[in-house]
Amino acid sequence: MRTRFAPSPTGHLHIGGARTAIFAWLQAKANNGKFLIRFEDTDKERSEKEYVDSIINSLKWLGIEPDEKPIFQSDQISKHREIALDLLKQGLAYSCNVSPERLEEVRKIQQQNKQQPRYDGFSRDLNLPHEKGNVIRFKMPLDGVTTFEDQVLKTISINNKELDDFIILRSDGTPTYNFCAAIDDLEMQITNVIRGDDHITNTLKQINILKALNSELPEYAHLPMVLSSSGKRLSKREGAVDIQEYKKMGYLKEAMVNYLIKLGWSYKEQELFSVDELIKYFDIKDVNSSAAKFSQELLDFYNNHYLKKFKLEGLYKYIDENFLLSEKFINNDKKTEIIDLLREGSNNISELVDELTFFYEDPYLTDEIINAIQIDKNLLALFKEELKEVNFKDKLLIGVFIDSFLSKNKLKFPLLGKPLRLILTGKTNAPSISDLLYLIGKENCINRIDNYLNS
RNA sequence: GUCCCCUUCGUCUAGCGGUUAGGACACCGGGUUUUCAUCUCGGCAACAGGGGUUCGAUCCCCCUAGGGGACGCCA
């Protein structure tokens, strides 16, 4: 089995493309096959080298690397042209001199008549000589149906009269996408074509090209689209974020892969999968046939899970290498313990890094925070004095001290805990008090309490 | 507009003619070495609508509605 991912380098890789790539890659890996990449860069205007690199880097980050060198469609142009001219010679294609203006007019009239706008076959039987400035169009069958068994969507068919004689060679002599794609899949000996379901009509066209060439058809699997959380097509406005942005925000590749694969595919009632398990269990036939909306919450869930599962030393190293950490934090001898504590409640690493601050820097107490702190200052002062005597080497001893202080003064925990959390962190949302005291350190804690008492 | 595809809890999904319609996320509530969080236990919550077929339909067929896609000398 040979599968491929065939992006056009006209933008970064986003969620949708990444998911398609993962499915195609897994399909190959699950069947001991090869996974290839082909850049569809025949649109010179829009294709950029920058995007080629970006796409490759994104895939690499996700753990996806091609088994053969990536193919660039633009390198095959002369071959495509040759085949197009051959089809012309055989009478399977024809030269057409209808101007773009005239096509525009025809389409307008068709639309007014509630018909599908399409090329009307004007030059089909004219047998025009192929002159400069003409295009070559493919002769679609005039009747019958084109049909195929999709591995995800089952039977798909269309009346051939709905398909028009599309252009395979432009007036400037360059080949077009549908033609190139069909031929390249053939040349690359692709056995399984996996792509978004927005390609269904292209598949129908490409099947006819392959039939004209007397070639065997690959298996097709069309993946339902990933829609934005509001149910719209993914676009710049609608959450089509460069996959590398997720890396920058502190999403782990394991989470990304797990989330994307679960968007449409399922295995029993399992939610979490290692790559090895995916390779073991994946079957394209188990992909769901309906479109799915992107869910930040679910992605966060997976990311939090893998954040917690990450080996602690490795996680620190990863964060240090990919995020900007303060010198003060790097020099903190409890830094890994702090990360270990914070990852419990973090959805991503940027969030975690933001939370780091109060471990090495006194929080600035705004009036709002000060007003929210409700505690008897005498009591707090007493707490501070006793805290000075506590052994901070052991977190458990801090907990014991808090318990005894509370019972000695007949206090409920929140009465001390809530104001203390605000004083120590400036936040209402933070880890447990004894963890905070322990990780912030005795000296800092006492300073912060003094700051409040003097405010 | 024409054609193609899709439709189970708010979201991702399981189901493949007989189920108390299952799981996960989110949400809500109880519990935990009295805290927001974590952890844990529990709860809420769905077969788009209408016709058939059948002893019996979430499941098969048709229609309607809704959503998405394709209709380029873009890919």
Side-chain angles (χ1 to χ4, degrees), chain A residues 134-247:
Chain A
N134 285 13
V135 299
I136 295 182
R137 288 183 180 274
F138 179 71
K139 268 191 192 168
M140 271 292 177
L142 294 173
D143 40 37
V145 293
T146 298
T147 178
F148 68 97
E149 280 301 311
D150 190 272
Q151 292 186 296
V152 173
L153 299 175
K154 310 299 175 219
T155 311
I156 291 179
S157 59
I158 194 169
N159 282 322
N160 284 332
K161 62 180 181 216
E162 303 292 342
L163 266 14
D164 66 359
D165 293 345
F166 64 96
I167 293 173
I168 58 176
L169 209 62
R170 299 187 186 94
S171 54
D172 67 358
T174 58
T176 60
Y177 163 76
N178 272 308
F179 188 60
C180 297
I183 292 184
D184 289 343
D185 283 336
L186 194 61
E187 292 282 329
M188 291 163 75
Q189 301 176 49
I190 300 300
T191 59
N192 293 73
V193 172
I194 295 157
R195 45 167 53 145
D197 71 4
D198 51 336
H199 279 278
I200 288 177
T201 42
N202 292 330
T203 297
L204 268 359
K205 289 178 184 176
Q206 291 170 22
I207 284 175
N208 282 294
I209 293 279
L210 292 173
K211 280 183 179 166
L213 295 170
N214 276 321
S215 306
E216 243 178 82
L217 303 178
E219 292 268 13
Y220 293 98
H222 290 90
L223 304 174
M225 309 253 88
V226 180
L227 306 176
S228 73
S229 50
S230 52
K232 297 281 170 227
R233 182 181 200 154
L234 241 34
S235 67
K236 277 220 174 98
R237 263 196 106 102
E238 285 282 343
V241 186
D242 175 4
I243 219 81
Q244 306 219 39
E245 287 299 317
Y246 285 100
K247 184 187 180 191

Side-chain angles (χ1 to χ4, degrees), chain A residues 395-410:
Chain A
K395 195 162 78 174
L396 287 176
L397 293 178
I398 299 175
V400 170
F401 160 67
I402 290 179
D403 284 347
S404 73
F405 183 84
L406 289 173
S407 61
K408 210 161 55 183
N409 292 284
K410 299 197 166 49

